[in-house]
Amino acid sequence: MMKSYLVIGLGRFGFEVARQLYKLGCEVMAMDTRSELVQQISSEVTHAVVGNGQDKEVLRALGARNFDCAVIAIGDSLSDSVLATMNVKELGVGYVVCKAHDEVHRKVLEKLGADRVVIPEQENALRLARSLSTPNVLDYIELSEDYGIIELPAPHSWNGKSLKEADVRAKLGVNILAIRRNGGITVSPNADFVMMDGDIMVVLGDSIALKKVQKL
């Protein structure tokens, strides 16, 4: 059973999830950039702090890695929630739940390794809080007409090479968001990451660049 939760974003949904988890007897740290919301919830959670979930060093200083679960409930901004999700994954939070505002948003967050993605209109805060406190691919995501995310096996020719040696960004014009290996996931792999046979890449780029990747 998970007992400690970091809730990032205190809009209507995040505020209620934090309150309900605390009512269910969990340790809850609630975080938002808006001091008025932090003050408002301070008596209804274990800790309430003003901070930016997009800043990895702030999360590190708050001990994010020590929480059993992070709930990313940042507004409707895809880029903001993606960055916060990547931060908590990289810091080693064991279970990450994200709020999404539509199906495309959901698919992107799932590709980045979110363990659970909810759309508030489809799932209320109390139900989510209860399920969290007592827990038991698509190949292509179109972000726009010319831009997307694709999941595909790493080319055999890259086996044993680092991303720097493969020169992915310069040669292909794409960004590797994550790499799945043996059931695990590395988010934002660095240039020294060495590819292995069986790796699955999550790649972001425009349609022309993604076609190049598929032909490797």
Side-chain angles (χ1 to χ4, degrees):
M1 174 179 171
M2 295 183 288
K3 295 182 179 179
S4 61
Y5 298 81
L6 172 62
V7 179
I8 301 175
L10 294 175
R12 185 181 303 173
F13 186 72
F15 197 101
E16 279 305 305
V17 169
R19 287 180 66 246
Q20 296 296 343
L21 283 168
Y22 185 66
K23 281 184 178 181
L24 290 165
C26 303
E27 177 189 346
V28 180
M29 177 181 283
M31 176 181 178
D32 199 284
T33 56
R34 295 162 289 185
S35 58
E36 65 275 15
L37 290 176
V38 171
Q39 185 174 358
Q40 189 178 342
I41 203 172
S42 60
S43 63
E44 301 188 71
V45 294
T46 315
H47 304 287
V49 296
V50 177
N52 189 343
Q54 299 168 65
D55 189 329
K56 189 195 295 186
E57 293 311 310
V58 168
L59 293 173
R60 193 193 307 276
L62 289 172
R65 62 188 292 272
N66 297 319
F67 287 86
D68 297 321
C69 174
V71 179
I72 310 299
I74 296 173
D76 292 335
S77 168
L78 174 60
S79 59
D80 290 354
S81 62
V82 162
L83 186 53
T85 301
M86 292 172 68
N87 284 341
V88 295
K89 290 294 290 186
E90 289 174 11
L91 288 171
V93 177
Y95 194 83
V96 180
V97 179
C98 299
K99 168 192 168 186
H101 59 81
D102 58 28
E103 287 298 325
V104 169
H105 195 171
R106 179 206 293 272
K107 292 170 188 172
V108 171
L109 293 169
E110 287 175 343
K111 291 293 186 187
L112 289 174
D115 298 284
R116 183 170 178 181
V117 182
V118 297
I119 298 177
E121 289 74 15
Q122 298 174 3
E123 183 161 7
N124 67 49
L126 177 56
R127 194 168 110 205
L128 174 62
R130 282 180 175 157
S131 68
L132 287 177
S133 62
T134 53
N136 6 353
V137 173
L138 289 177
D139 292 328
Y140 183 78
I141 299 172
E142 184 178 75
L143 299 178
S144 69
E145 189 175 333
D146 300 312
Y147 221 61
I149 294 175
I150 193 167
E151 182 175 310
L152 75 169
H156 293 297
S157 60
W158 290 5
N159 186 27
K161 290 185 179 179
S162 68
L163 293 179
K164 183 177 181 180
E165 290 171 326
D167 206 9
V168 179
R169 188 175 298 180
K171 289 183 178 178
L172 300 170
V174 297
N175 289 309
I176 296 182
L177 298 178
I179 295 174
R180 300 181 186 277
R181 176 181 294 169
N182 298 328
I185 183 168
T186 300
V187 179
S188 261
N190 61 36
D192 296 322
F193 187 95
V194 176
M195 305 294 289
M196 293 174 56
D197 264 341
D199 284 353
I200 302 295
M201 308 184 299
V202 180
V203 181
L204 170 70
D206 62 37
S207 56
I208 295 174
L210 292 179
K211 286 178 182 175
K212 290 180 183 177
V213 175
Q214 293 177 71
K215 293 177 180 177
L216 292 174

